[in-house]
Amino acid sequence: MQNKFKNGLIAFLLSWSLFNSCWAQDVGDTLDQAETQRVAPFQVFDNLYYVGAKWVSAWLLETDQGLILFDSLYGELTDLVIDSIRELGFDPDDIRYLIVTHAHYDHIGGARRFQDEFGSVVMMTEEDWNMTNEPAIYQDYPKPIRHLSVADGSTLNLGRTRLRFVQTPGHTVGVLSTQFTVYDNGYPHDAFMFGGVGLNFSGVDRTEMYINSVKRLMGFQGIEVNVPNHEGSGEVFERYEILQDRQDGDPHAFVDPERWTAWLDQLLIAAEAKLIDEQEAAVN
Ligand SMILES: [Zn+2]
């Protein structure tokens, strides 16, 4: 299984470079359409649901005081998120907070809609709020109204649920990562959402930032569940298939601390190779 997952990561990193290549337009058209991107929403833990698309993820965290949504997707894919939330029997009006992992259109693009239609409070780092004042990098999106800024080390409590925020700069300067608890039939597991892992940025400084972020996460003890904001970087659909066939006594397919550690190792290797390229480019 490890090899299959490793291939998944390579495919994901490759897809990012393809995404930025000159023929990205064709790929982009397919990526942007709800019909081709639709995924039936599903429950992964007692309190965590997948409500995203095929290529970019959104997650719904249920608390005793309302809902928390991670990422809004964009355009038609935001409709898909809203439909998915309703399909699971939840009311989007109950979304108290929308956590935006970083200010690229695929994660932030629908944020304004959640503010306007459902009164959700949008949370993001100061650095990425500032990005919303600048022209969008890949694709334009309706700019959200500035709500709450989240700093490294801060926490959010909603009912009995606590989120702990970690700023992991690199992919953008303000990538927001979140640590929280998921429950498997009442049994708690430590989950983590790394808010931006693609290497589609440039510069020695940014690459060093990224490497420092990955190294810092390597020092976090006890993380058991990877909750990725692109399904390919956490093998979400493959794991869900395994989860559906789970028998009594089987482990939960998403609880995989070894794979989390191995994934960080792979991210570090890729980033260190990029650093060498960036350093060479800087002296030429
Ligand atoms: Zn991004």
Side-chain angles (χ1 to χ4, degrees):
M1 195 187 288
Q2 287 292 320
N3 250 346
K4 202 164 118 192
F5 287 163
K6 193 174 172 185
N7 290 340
L9 177 84
I10 291 164
F12 170 71
L13 292 173
L14 189 67
S15 72
W16 265 115
S17 49
L18 290 178
F19 180 65
N20 291 292
S21 74
C22 51
W23 58 275
Q25 192 57 46
D26 285 347
V27 180
D29 286 347
T30 316
L31 294 179
D32 296 347
Q33 288 163 1
E35 269 326 294
T36 51
Q37 284 292 319
R38 190 170 299 281
V39 175
F42 53 88
Q43 183 170 18
V44 173
F45 286 97
D46 302 354
N47 58 338
L48 187 69
Y49 301 80
Y50 191 87
V51 291
K54 281 183 186 162
W55 84 278
V56 56
S57 303
W59 294 88
L60 191 69
L61 187 67
E62 186 183 8
T63 84
D64 55 327
Q65 294 289 322
L67 303 168
I68 296 170
L69 178 65
F70 290 95
D71 284 347
S72 63
L73 309 199
Y74 63 103
E76 289 185 14
L77 303 193
T78 298
D79 294 312
L80 198 158
V81 174
I82 295 165
D83 290 349
S84 293
I85 291 168
R86 291 198 169 114
E87 215 174 297
L88 290 167
F90 294 109
D91 183 347
D93 280 328
D94 292 334
I95 301 169
R96 299 283 171 263
Y97 296 97
L98 166 60
I99 315 287
V100 176
T101 55
H102 65 274
H104 282 156
Y105 76 96
D106 47 330
H107 306 281
I108 195 179
R112 179 63 188 252
R113 251 187 97 180
F114 283 95
Q115 291 179 321
D116 289 349
E117 292 179 30
F118 309 117
S120 318
V121 172
V122 175
M123 301 180 81
M124 205 162 30
T125 62
E126 186 66 20
E127 287 80 356
D128 276 33
W129 274 118
N130 291 339
M131 276 177 71
T132 66
N133 298 329
E134 299 157 13
I137 297 174
Y138 300 112
Q139 199 181 108
D140 214 2
Y141 60 86
K143 295 292 155 68
I145 301 158
R146 189 181 270 254
H147 278 166
L148 290 181
S149 286
V150 186
D152 185 69
S154 62
T155 56
L156 170 69
N157 294 307
L158 184 59
R160 285 191 292 271
T161 299
R162 165 173 281 211
L163 309 187
R164 176 182 166 225
F165 296 113
V166 185
Q167 195 163 333
T168 51
H171 179 70
T172 64
V173 180
V175 169
L176 179 61
S177 295
T178 310
Q179 191 168 9
F180 55 100
T181 304
V182 292
Y183 296 90
D184 174 26
N185 292 316
Y187 191 87
H189 292 285
D190 209 350
F192 198 86
M193 179 177 297
F194 191 169
V197 300
L199 291 175
N200 48 318
F201 57 87
S202 54
V204 171
D205 289 356
R206 284 279 290 282
T207 311
E208 283 174 344
M209 253 183 210
Y210 182 104
I211 287 171
N212 288 337
S213 294
V214 174
K215 284 183 174 167
R216 187 174 167 211
L217 296 187
M218 284 171 158
F220 284 32
Q221 302 300 311
I223 292 168
E224 304 170 270
V225 179
N226 179 15
V227 184
N229 62 354
H230 286 276
E231 82 82 24
S233 47
E235 309 91 18
V236 172
F237 301 150
E238 286 166 71
R239 289 184 194 280
Y240 180 56
E241 265 183 41
I242 298 166
L243 183 63
Q244 282 173 293
D245 295 331
R246 186 184 193 190
Q247 308 293 317
D248 269 358
D250 283 352
H252 192 294
F254 284 75
V255 177
D256 192 349
E258 292 82 13
R259 179 64 195 136
W260 165 258
T261 309
W263 183 55
L264 292 180
D265 287 344
Q266 288 168 352
L267 294 178
L268 185 62
I269 289 166
E272 282 175 339
K274 178 182 172 66
L275 182 62
I276 291 168
D277 291 346
E278 295 285 356
Q279 285 165 337
E280 281 172 1
V283 293
N284 287 332

